Amino acid sequence: MLLKALAVFSLLLSLGSCDHPGVRVKGDSALYNFVKDLIVSYVESNARLNFSDVQHDYNVGSDTYTYALTNITVSSIGIGAAGLHGISPNFVSFYSKTLTLNLQGTYTVSSANSFVSTASLSVTFGSINIAELVRLNNVNGVFVASTQLCNVQPTGQPIINGITPTLSASHTSNLKTMIASDLKQAIPSTVCNGVDAFLNGNINSFVATRIAAGLPLSTTISVDISAYGPPSVTYGSLQIGLNGKCYPVNDPGVNYTFQRTPLPNFTNSNGMLKMMVGEYATNTLLHSMYDNGLLALSPRQILITLGTSVNTAILSIFIPGFLNYGTKPMLFMLSVLNPPNVTIAESDVAIAGILELTMLVNNTGTLEAALVIDADSILHGTASASGTTVHAQITSVEYTLSIQRSTVGSVNLPGFKALLNIVVQNQLIPTLNSVIFTGFEIPPIYGLRYTNLEISMLQGAMEISGNVEGAFEN
């Protein structure tokens, strides 16, 4: 019952300490309050409890009568004056001072020799105090929530409706006494057992099957968001470490050798949920993209970037050897020879790698690689965010050229680089920026939206902070 939203904690608040996680997430008191509202909304809309049948014998005159309450269920729940906060080192406490249970069921009054009455009835227990203490643990990389304390205290007298008016005063009094006593005494164990069953059967199962299995970033790449280190809990915050390894969907067991370095401290940004993404996570992401061939530009994409067709006659102005082909159409291919390496600093993000530019000549229907040039490159850029979207922008590119293969003789590399600089600065960077600055919108995760985003660049990591909105959907 309590905490479908703990599944939200496992998803949104899965980051912390120990052996340098790839990602760390921190939620503050505003997130506690948000999750508390999720708990209240879910419980009030979905929770149902079944009580064991209750039976009691009373003497009326010289006869003994059996009073039974059967098929007792909770038809609705109301939660008021609720709160949620953390307790060091790894506990979360949920409480309500005005829990209301509306019950429905059937009562029967009978004796050994006669049947007196049976009817449906409804009972309302209000002003119930409940306190639930839940331990958050990392069990072999799986986030597990377990009840450590459940304290339920019904107070006041129940409101009873549905007893047949023709029932005698003695029978009515005995029936009400049994409801106020036996049924009231069953509330703590029934509620607490329901909490345990829900945590084990729903929350922990959800985390083990949905979250520990990885979060898809695309159809070909997922990220390992299993717990990495123990959670760290205080009254107004919660941090849990995540593995943070991105991997190709078809190779989840791939082993990357990137070093896990300590993540910097969180800033004082106002977002209720902060994610610190380190260089380990970003490097595994680019490595996964490389493995899936997502970092190469096709001839068509390059043609769009150049904005015009290029043939051997045009290129021979700069590289005379292309005159040997006459006037022939050309295509260009740009590929990444090795997985790029990412370095994050306060000023920018630098991505280093070796690019290979292949110039293809359509020589009577056969594509010939006339010139292959490698560029040992470093791309510099920045990141920003707005709403639910993360933006990127390339600020500069630096590179060193080397000839790998040539059928057009020697190449004046300084002159060619001067030409290439014009293309890079005036065509390539603006074209790429027009695409990447539109950004990547973070999609809703199980119905929850990560919005009002801000990005802070730190040494060795990037902090994304924002608020969480929406309603949890399984």
mmCIF file of all heavy atoms in Angstrom, residues 273 275 384-392 436-445 447-455 464-470:
data_model
loop_
_atom_site.group_PDB
_atom_site.id
_atom_site.type_symbol
_atom_site.label_atom_id
_atom_site.label_comp_id
_atom_site.label_asym_id
_atom_site.label_seq_id
_atom_site.Cartn_x
_atom_site.Cartn_y
_atom_site.Cartn_z
ATOM 1 N N LEU A 273 15.399 17.795 -7.799
ATOM 2 C CA LEU A 273 16.131 16.574 -8.141
ATOM 3 C C LEU A 273 17.350 16.945 -8.967
ATOM 4 O O LEU A 273 17.241 17.603 -9.999
ATOM 5 C CB LEU A 273 15.241 15.605 -8.922
ATOM 6 C CG LEU A 273 15.920 14.303 -9.366
ATOM 7 C CD1 LEU A 273 16.277 13.461 -8.145
ATOM 8 C CD2 LEU A 273 15.034 13.531 -10.315
ATOM 9 N N MET A 275 21.006 15.559 -10.815
ATOM 10 C CA MET A 275 21.753 14.413 -11.327
ATOM 11 C C MET A 275 23.162 14.866 -11.689
ATOM 12 O O MET A 275 23.328 15.785 -12.485
ATOM 13 C CB MET A 275 21.063 13.812 -12.546
ATOM 14 C CG MET A 275 19.724 13.173 -12.245
ATOM 15 S SD MET A 275 19.090 12.173 -13.620
ATOM 16 C CE MET A 275 18.850 13.449 -14.861
ATOM 17 N N SER A 384 23.427 23.310 -22.265
ATOM 18 C CA SER A 384 22.476 24.121 -21.511
ATOM 19 C C SER A 384 21.151 23.390 -21.502
ATOM 20 O O SER A 384 21.013 22.323 -22.109
ATOM 21 C CB SER A 384 22.324 25.523 -22.140
ATOM 22 O OG SER A 384 21.870 25.413 -23.481
ATOM 23 N N ALA A 385 20.175 23.945 -20.821
ATOM 24 C CA ALA A 385 18.879 23.276 -20.730
ATOM 25 C C ALA A 385 17.781 24.304 -20.546
ATOM 26 O O ALA A 385 18.004 25.410 -20.036
ATOM 27 C CB ALA A 385 18.868 22.270 -19.570
ATOM 28 N N SER A 386 16.583 23.925 -20.967
ATOM 29 C CA SER A 386 15.390 24.739 -20.748
ATOM 30 C C SER A 386 14.181 23.823 -20.790
ATOM 31 O O SER A 386 14.124 22.908 -21.615
ATOM 32 C CB SER A 386 15.261 25.836 -21.815
ATOM 33 O OG SER A 386 15.135 25.258 -23.104
ATOM 34 N N GLY A 387 13.238 24.065 -19.893
ATOM 35 C CA GLY A 387 12.051 23.218 -19.860
ATOM 36 C C GLY A 387 12.415 21.769 -19.609
ATOM 37 O O GLY A 387 13.023 21.424 -18.589
ATOM 38 N N THR A 388 12.100 20.892 -20.554
ATOM 39 C CA THR A 388 12.442 19.470 -20.448
ATOM 40 C C THR A 388 13.513 19.082 -21.459
ATOM 41 O O THR A 388 13.719 17.897 -21.712
ATOM 42 C CB THR A 388 11.189 18.609 -20.682
ATOM 43 O OG1 THR A 388 10.665 18.888 -21.999
ATOM 44 C CG2 THR A 388 10.118 18.888 -19.644
ATOM 45 N N THR A 389 14.203 20.066 -22.027
ATOM 46 C CA THR A 389 15.122 19.805 -23.128
ATOM 47 C C THR A 389 16.558 20.178 -22.767
ATOM 48 O O THR A 389 16.812 21.225 -22.180
ATOM 49 C CB THR A 389 14.695 20.608 -24.379
ATOM 50 O OG1 THR A 389 13.354 20.258 -24.724
ATOM 51 C CG2 THR A 389 15.603 20.297 -25.554
ATOM 52 N N VAL A 390 17.484 19.302 -23.140
ATOM 53 C CA VAL A 390 18.916 19.552 -22.982
ATOM 54 C C VAL A 390 19.467 19.973 -24.341
ATOM 55 O O VAL A 390 19.243 19.302 -25.352
ATOM 56 C CB VAL A 390 19.643 18.298 -22.475
ATOM 57 C CG1 VAL A 390 21.157 18.536 -22.414
ATOM 58 C CG2 VAL A 390 19.111 17.884 -21.114
ATOM 59 N N HIS A 391 20.179 21.097 -24.368
ATOM 60 C CA HIS A 391 20.733 21.637 -25.608
ATOM 61 C C HIS A 391 22.249 21.475 -25.606
ATOM 62 O O HIS A 391 22.885 21.407 -24.558
ATOM 63 C CB HIS A 391 20.404 23.120 -25.751
ATOM 64 C CG HIS A 391 18.954 23.451 -25.575
ATOM 65 N ND1 HIS A 391 18.036 23.317 -26.583
ATOM 66 C CD2 HIS A 391 18.265 23.898 -24.497
ATOM 67 C CE1 HIS A 391 16.841 23.674 -26.144
ATOM 68 N NE2 HIS A 391 16.958 24.034 -24.874
ATOM 69 N N ALA A 392 22.822 21.454 -26.809
ATOM 70 C CA ALA A 392 24.278 21.425 -26.952
ATOM 71 C C ALA A 392 24.679 22.382 -28.063
ATOM 72 O O ALA A 392 23.876 22.687 -28.959
ATOM 73 C CB ALA A 392 24.756 20.013 -27.272
ATOM 74 N N ILE A 436 21.769 20.121 -33.224
ATOM 75 C CA ILE A 436 21.924 19.705 -31.827
ATOM 76 C C ILE A 436 21.406 20.746 -30.859
ATOM 77 O O ILE A 436 21.054 20.414 -29.720
ATOM 78 C CB ILE A 436 23.390 19.351 -31.507
ATOM 79 C CG1 ILE A 436 24.290 20.585 -31.652
ATOM 80 C CG2 ILE A 436 23.869 18.227 -32.388
ATOM 81 C CD1 ILE A 436 25.735 20.317 -31.257
ATOM 82 N N PHE A 437 21.350 22.049 -31.279
ATOM 83 C CA PHE A 437 20.869 23.038 -30.325
ATOM 84 C C PHE A 437 19.360 22.923 -30.111
ATOM 85 O O PHE A 437 18.838 23.414 -29.115
ATOM 86 C CB PHE A 437 21.231 24.459 -30.760
ATOM 87 C CG PHE A 437 20.999 25.479 -29.668
ATOM 88 C CD1 PHE A 437 21.850 25.530 -28.575
ATOM 89 C CD2 PHE A 437 19.928 26.346 -29.712
ATOM 90 C CE1 PHE A 437 21.645 26.436 -27.552
ATOM 91 C CE2 PHE A 437 19.713 27.260 -28.691
ATOM 92 C CZ PHE A 437 20.568 27.307 -27.613
ATOM 93 N N THR A 438 18.660 22.310 -31.078
ATOM 94 C CA THR A 438 17.231 22.051 -30.826
ATOM 95 C C THR A 438 17.079 21.136 -29.631
ATOM 96 O O THR A 438 16.052 21.172 -28.955
ATOM 97 C CB THR A 438 16.564 21.419 -32.055
ATOM 98 O OG1 THR A 438 17.236 20.198 -32.381
ATOM 99 C CG2 THR A 438 16.624 22.358 -33.236
ATOM 100 N N GLY A 439 18.108 20.332 -29.385
ATOM 101 C CA GLY A 439 18.179 19.621 -28.120
ATOM 102 C C GLY A 439 17.533 18.259 -28.112
ATOM 103 O O GLY A 439 16.888 17.815 -29.061
ATOM 104 N N PHE A 440 17.753 17.606 -26.991
ATOM 105 C CA PHE A 440 17.160 16.304 -26.718
ATOM 106 C C PHE A 440 16.168 16.469 -25.582
ATOM 107 O O PHE A 440 16.530 16.874 -24.474
ATOM 108 C CB PHE A 440 18.240 15.293 -26.322
ATOM 109 C CG PHE A 440 17.699 14.010 -25.765
ATOM 110 C CD1 PHE A 440 17.101 13.078 -26.591
ATOM 111 C CD2 PHE A 440 17.767 13.751 -24.404
ATOM 112 C CE1 PHE A 440 16.586 11.895 -26.077
ATOM 113 C CE2 PHE A 440 17.260 12.580 -23.879
ATOM 114 C CZ PHE A 440 16.670 11.647 -24.730
ATOM 115 N N GLU A 441 14.921 16.195 -25.868
ATOM 116 C CA GLU A 441 13.897 16.320 -24.835
ATOM 117 C C GLU A 441 13.855 15.059 -23.994
ATOM 118 O O GLU A 441 13.710 13.952 -24.521
ATOM 119 C CB GLU A 441 12.527 16.586 -25.462
ATOM 120 C CG GLU A 441 11.448 16.821 -24.409
ATOM 121 C CD GLU A 441 10.129 17.267 -25.020
ATOM 122 O OE1 GLU A 441 10.038 17.322 -26.260
ATOM 123 O OE2 GLU A 441 9.201 17.562 -24.251
ATOM 124 N N ILE A 442 14.006 15.226 -22.695
ATOM 125 C CA ILE A 442 13.952 14.078 -21.798
ATOM 126 C C ILE A 442 12.507 13.600 -21.722
ATOM 127 O O ILE A 442 11.624 14.343 -21.299
ATOM 128 C CB ILE A 442 14.469 14.446 -20.397
ATOM 129 C CG1 ILE A 442 15.940 14.867 -20.486
ATOM 130 C CG2 ILE A 442 14.305 13.280 -19.431
ATOM 131 C CD1 ILE A 442 16.544 15.272 -19.168
ATOM 132 N N PRO A 443 12.236 12.382 -22.155
ATOM 133 C CA PRO A 443 10.847 11.912 -22.187
ATOM 134 C C PRO A 443 10.344 11.605 -20.787
ATOM 135 O O PRO A 443 11.131 11.388 -19.856
ATOM 136 C CB PRO A 443 10.940 10.631 -23.032
ATOM 137 C CG PRO A 443 12.330 10.125 -22.779
ATOM 138 C CD PRO A 443 13.184 11.356 -22.624
ATOM 139 N N PRO A 444 9.013 11.579 -20.606
ATOM 140 C CA PRO A 444 8.469 11.160 -19.308
ATOM 141 C C PRO A 444 8.920 9.745 -18.972
ATOM 142 O O PRO A 444 8.998 8.878 -19.851
ATOM 143 C CB PRO A 444 6.949 11.238 -19.515
ATOM 144 C CG PRO A 444 6.768 12.182 -20.654
ATOM 145 C CD PRO A 444 7.951 11.967 -21.553
ATOM 146 N N ILE A 445 9.244 9.516 -17.736
ATOM 147 C CA ILE A 445 9.649 8.189 -17.259
ATOM 148 C C ILE A 445 8.592 7.699 -16.293
ATOM 149 O O ILE A 445 8.427 8.268 -15.211
ATOM 150 C CB ILE A 445 11.024 8.240 -16.575
ATOM 151 C CG1 ILE A 445 12.073 8.780 -17.550
ATOM 152 C CG2 ILE A 445 11.427 6.860 -16.074
ATOM 153 C CD1 ILE A 445 13.440 8.968 -16.939
ATOM 154 N N GLY A 447 5.506 8.143 -16.484
ATOM 155 C CA GLY A 447 4.536 9.205 -16.258
ATOM 156 C C GLY A 447 5.093 10.446 -15.597
ATOM 157 O O GLY A 447 4.390 11.456 -15.485
ATOM 158 N N LEU A 448 6.343 10.423 -15.176
ATOM 159 C CA LEU A 448 6.941 11.554 -14.458
ATOM 160 C C LEU A 448 7.803 12.372 -15.414
ATOM 161 O O LEU A 448 8.592 11.823 -16.191
ATOM 162 C CB LEU A 448 7.780 11.060 -13.290
ATOM 163 C CG LEU A 448 7.010 10.250 -12.242
ATOM 164 C CD1 LEU A 448 7.973 9.706 -11.200
ATOM 165 C CD2 LEU A 448 5.937 11.090 -11.587
ATOM 166 N N ARG A 449 7.661 13.690 -15.362
ATOM 167 C CA ARG A 449 8.407 14.597 -16.223
ATOM 168 C C ARG A 449 9.489 15.311 -15.416
ATOM 169 O O ARG A 449 9.236 15.805 -14.317
ATOM 170 C CB ARG A 449 7.470 15.627 -16.869
ATOM 171 C CG ARG A 449 6.388 15.020 -17.730
ATOM 172 C CD ARG A 449 5.563 16.106 -18.407
ATOM 173 N NE ARG A 449 4.970 17.022 -17.445
ATOM 174 C CZ ARG A 449 3.842 16.799 -16.791
ATOM 175 N NH1 ARG A 449 3.188 15.673 -16.976
ATOM 176 N NH2 ARG A 449 3.362 17.694 -15.938
ATOM 177 N N TYR A 450 10.670 15.390 -16.005
ATOM 178 C CA TYR A 450 11.799 16.112 -15.411
ATOM 179 C C TYR A 450 11.868 17.462 -16.121
ATOM 180 O O TYR A 450 12.216 17.541 -17.306
ATOM 181 C CB TYR A 450 13.067 15.305 -15.627
ATOM 182 C CG TYR A 450 14.246 15.704 -14.778
ATOM 183 C CD1 TYR A 450 14.079 16.331 -13.540
ATOM 184 C CD2 TYR A 450 15.545 15.434 -15.193
ATOM 185 C CE1 TYR A 450 15.160 16.678 -12.759
ATOM 186 C CE2 TYR A 450 16.642 15.770 -14.420
ATOM 187 C CZ TYR A 450 16.436 16.397 -13.197
ATOM 188 O OH TYR A 450 17.515 16.741 -12.427
ATOM 189 N N THR A 451 11.518 18.542 -15.440
ATOM 190 C CA THR A 451 11.302 19.817 -16.101
ATOM 191 C C THR A 451 12.008 20.956 -15.361
ATOM 192 O O THR A 451 12.622 20.751 -14.315
ATOM 193 C CB THR A 451 9.792 20.099 -16.232
ATOM 194 O OG1 THR A 451 9.594 21.279 -17.011
ATOM 195 C CG2 THR A 451 9.159 20.275 -14.867
ATOM 196 N N ASN A 452 11.904 22.167 -15.943
ATOM 197 C CA ASN A 452 12.600 23.350 -15.418
ATOM 198 C C ASN A 452 14.092 23.069 -15.258
ATOM 199 O O ASN A 452 14.708 23.405 -14.236
ATOM 200 C CB ASN A 452 12.002 23.795 -14.082
ATOM 201 C CG ASN A 452 10.553 24.209 -14.210
ATOM 202 O OD1 ASN A 452 10.134 24.747 -15.232
ATOM 203 N ND2 ASN A 452 9.771 23.945 -13.175
ATOM 204 N N LEU A 453 14.671 22.468 -16.288
ATOM 205 C CA LEU A 453 16.041 21.974 -16.192
ATOM 206 C C LEU A 453 17.068 23.096 -16.234
ATOM 207 O O LEU A 453 16.893 24.109 -16.923
ATOM 208 C CB LEU A 453 16.323 20.994 -17.329
ATOM 209 C CG LEU A 453 15.449 19.740 -17.382
ATOM 210 C CD1 LEU A 453 15.843 18.876 -18.576
ATOM 211 C CD2 LEU A 453 15.561 18.942 -16.095
ATOM 212 N N GLU A 454 18.147 22.879 -15.493
ATOM 213 C CA GLU A 454 19.319 23.736 -15.539
ATOM 214 C C GLU A 454 20.555 22.841 -15.582
ATOM 215 O O GLU A 454 20.557 21.748 -15.009
ATOM 216 C CB GLU A 454 19.399 24.644 -14.308
ATOM 217 C CG GLU A 454 18.252 25.636 -14.170
ATOM 218 C CD GLU A 454 18.379 26.484 -12.915
ATOM 219 O OE1 GLU A 454 19.371 26.294 -12.175
ATOM 220 O OE2 GLU A 454 17.510 27.324 -12.673
ATOM 221 N N ILE A 455 21.605 23.309 -16.256
ATOM 222 C CA ILE A 455 22.851 22.543 -16.346
ATOM 223 C C ILE A 455 24.002 23.387 -15.814
ATOM 224 O O ILE A 455 24.142 24.564 -16.160
ATOM 225 C CB ILE A 455 23.136 22.100 -17.792
ATOM 226 C CG1 ILE A 455 22.163 20.991 -18.201
ATOM 227 C CG2 ILE A 455 24.569 21.607 -17.935
ATOM 228 C CD1 ILE A 455 22.395 20.451 -19.593
ATOM 229 N N ILE A 464 22.782 18.204 -13.776
ATOM 230 C CA ILE A 464 21.471 18.550 -14.314
ATOM 231 C C ILE A 464 20.514 18.632 -13.134
ATOM 232 O O ILE A 464 20.383 17.680 -12.364
ATOM 233 C CB ILE A 464 20.977 17.503 -15.317
ATOM 234 C CG1 ILE A 464 22.001 17.283 -16.425
ATOM 235 C CG2 ILE A 464 19.634 17.924 -15.919
ATOM 236 C CD1 ILE A 464 21.643 16.155 -17.371
ATOM 237 N N SER A 465 19.871 19.773 -12.969
ATOM 238 C CA SER A 465 18.925 19.922 -11.873
ATOM 239 C C SER A 465 17.579 20.374 -12.431
ATOM 240 O O SER A 465 17.503 21.031 -13.472
ATOM 241 C CB SER A 465 19.436 20.931 -10.838
ATOM 242 O OG SER A 465 19.504 22.230 -11.412
ATOM 243 N N GLY A 466 16.526 20.003 -11.735
ATOM 244 C CA GLY A 466 15.183 20.385 -12.179
ATOM 245 C C GLY A 466 14.145 19.900 -11.214
ATOM 246 O O GLY A 466 14.446 19.401 -10.116
ATOM 247 N N ASN A 467 12.902 20.031 -11.604
ATOM 248 C CA ASN A 467 11.766 19.599 -10.796
ATOM 249 C C ASN A 467 11.101 18.399 -11.439
ATOM 250 O O ASN A 467 11.254 18.148 -12.634
ATOM 251 C CB ASN A 467 10.764 20.742 -10.614
ATOM 252 C CG ASN A 467 11.358 21.918 -9.861
ATOM 253 O OD1 ASN A 467 12.198 21.742 -8.981
ATOM 254 N ND2 ASN A 467 10.945 23.122 -10.216
ATOM 255 N N VAL A 468 10.343 17.682 -10.650
ATOM 256 C CA VAL A 468 9.617 16.512 -11.122
ATOM 257 C C VAL A 468 8.139 16.791 -11.053
ATOM 258 O O VAL A 468 7.628 17.290 -10.035
ATOM 259 C CB VAL A 468 9.971 15.258 -10.280
ATOM 260 C CG1 VAL A 468 9.281 14.030 -10.848
ATOM 261 C CG2 VAL A 468 11.480 15.055 -10.256
ATOM 262 N N GLU A 469 7.446 16.473 -12.143
ATOM 263 C CA GLU A 469 5.999 16.705 -12.215
ATOM 264 C C GLU A 469 5.329 15.458 -12.772
ATOM 265 O O GLU A 469 5.958 14.597 -13.371
ATOM 266 C CB GLU A 469 5.682 17.909 -13.126
ATOM 267 C CG GLU A 469 6.293 19.225 -12.662
ATOM 268 C CD GLU A 469 6.033 20.344 -13.652
ATOM 269 O OE1 GLU A 469 5.537 20.041 -14.764
ATOM 270 O OE2 GLU A 469 6.335 21.506 -13.320
ATOM 271 N N GLY A 470 4.011 15.409 -12.607
ATOM 272 C CA GLY A 470 3.235 14.322 -13.183
ATOM 273 C C GLY A 470 2.768 13.321 -12.159
ATOM 274 O O GLY A 470 2.955 13.494 -10.943
#
